[in-house]
Amino acid sequence: MEIINDVNQMQQRCLAARQQGQRIAFVPTMGYLHAGHRSLLEEGRKRGDLLVLSIFVNPTQFGQGEDLDSYPRDLTRDSALAEAAGVDLLFAPEAQQMYPRGYATYVDVEGLTDTLCGRSRPGHFRGVTTVVTKLFTIVQPHLALFGCKDFQQLAVIRRMTVDLNLPVEIIGMPIVREADGLAMSSRNVYLSPQERSQALALVAALRLAGKLARGGESSAATIIKAVSERIVSEPDAQIDYIHICQKDTLEDQPVVGRDSVLLLAVKFGNTRLIDNTYLFEEV
Ligand code: AMP
């Protein structure tokens, strides 16, 4: 596995691979890899000739007072995991190279970013779409893999890719969970043992919602109320949002249907967790 830190070197390397006819599969991450990232890499390995992983804790997607400085980082451990997952090229740039002095260009997807995490984290998606556009320009991938764990992010990136005619196939991959159901996240390391066990309320609430919907309950308000009650039964849980949305537009759906997704964000102490499910699929 080659590790490249330099932006220009990475772009030259990827352009050369493309010219040789290699199909480039790309997995962008912020590192501190877990089995969720690994599932994206495994699928990328199957679909591409050259598997590229980026690890970059992107400062522009963090708001004031968020966890940019404390975000977990371990490039040595990540490199070993990446190599074991069959990564060919690991790109780990410095923030100063991605955003040098004078940097002034941003990509903004309207509408889809006004709701859910976009409302709670102003500017977050602008940072995400900007860095993903930059990474696509550097890596020149044929396909890029993203997790449905970040459901809104995936919808925003699909929108951006269509709107900007980016020649990249976007592939969404299922949420990978711990054995007890907690969605894997690099941020799970922040949870105290008590918070970690209370956080199981999220998957329990998603399962409850699915059971209600599949049992014939069609009112989103009723399902959201039940989900909310389950979550606030945990002493440290603070709900940021619970919504039932149409899967592509992310508009609220008062009456649930086959295309309904329940999305939630809940804080346990200082740690904000997100999770989601299609109501008619089992978690
Ligand atoms: P992150 O490093 O958290 O920015 O995530 C990088 C990519 O991995 C994103 O496309 C995420 O959606 C995806 N991802 C993170 N956690 C999971 C998970 N538990 N299951 C599947 N994909 C995930």
Side-chain angles (χ1 to χ4, degrees), residues 174-273:
I175 301 176
V176 177
R177 297 179 180 280
E178 301 283 357
D180 61 9
L182 182 69
M184 291 207 176
S185 164
S186 307
R187 289 191 166 99
N188 289 350
V189 295
Y190 296 148
L191 297 166
S192 70
Q194 293 86 335
E195 290 163 351
R196 172 70 181 72
S197 91
Q198 291 182 38
L200 290 177
L202 303 190
V203 67
L206 295 182
R207 287 178 177 143
L208 171 63
K211 222 171 118 190
L212 289 170
R214 292 192 295 273
E217 179 56 67
S218 64
S219 157
T222 304
I223 294 174
I224 289 170
K225 184 163 176 285
V227 166
S228 167
E229 282 168 4
R230 174 63 189 87
I231 291 171
V232 297
S233 72
E234 304 297 337
D236 297 321
Q238 274 178 280
I239 295 172
D240 176 351
Y241 65 74
I242 304 169
H243 281 262
I244 292 178
C245 301
Q246 202 283 336
K247 67 180 174 63
D248 302 310
T249 63
L250 302 183
E251 279 166 9
D252 282 322
Q253 261 185 335
V255 178
V256 306
R258 294 266 147 200
D259 57 349
S260 297
V261 190
L262 188 147
L263 302 109
L264 51 78
V266 177
K267 270 183 101 171
F268 292 89
N270 291 323
T271 307
R272 184 173 172 281
L273 301 179

Side-chain angles (χ1 to χ4, degrees), residues 28-30 34 36-37 40 146-147 149-150 153 174-176 184:
T29 77
M30 299 208 296
H34 52 65
H37 300 117
L40 307 186
F146 294 86
K149 157 89 187 332
D150 299 271
Q153 170 173 283
I175 301 176
V176 177
M184 291 207 176

Side-chain angles (χ1 to χ4, degrees), residues 55-90:
I55 295 183
F56 180 58
V57 182
N58 173 37
T60 62
Q61 72 187 70
F62 288 79
Q64 287 273 328
E66 290 189 353
D67 57 342
L68 173 62
D69 293 335
S70 58
Y71 195 85
R73 294 162 168 91
D74 190 342
L75 195 56
T76 311
R77 176 176 160 276
D78 284 350
S79 304
L81 289 172
E83 182 141 35
V87 171
D88 297 305
L89 269 182
L90 167 55

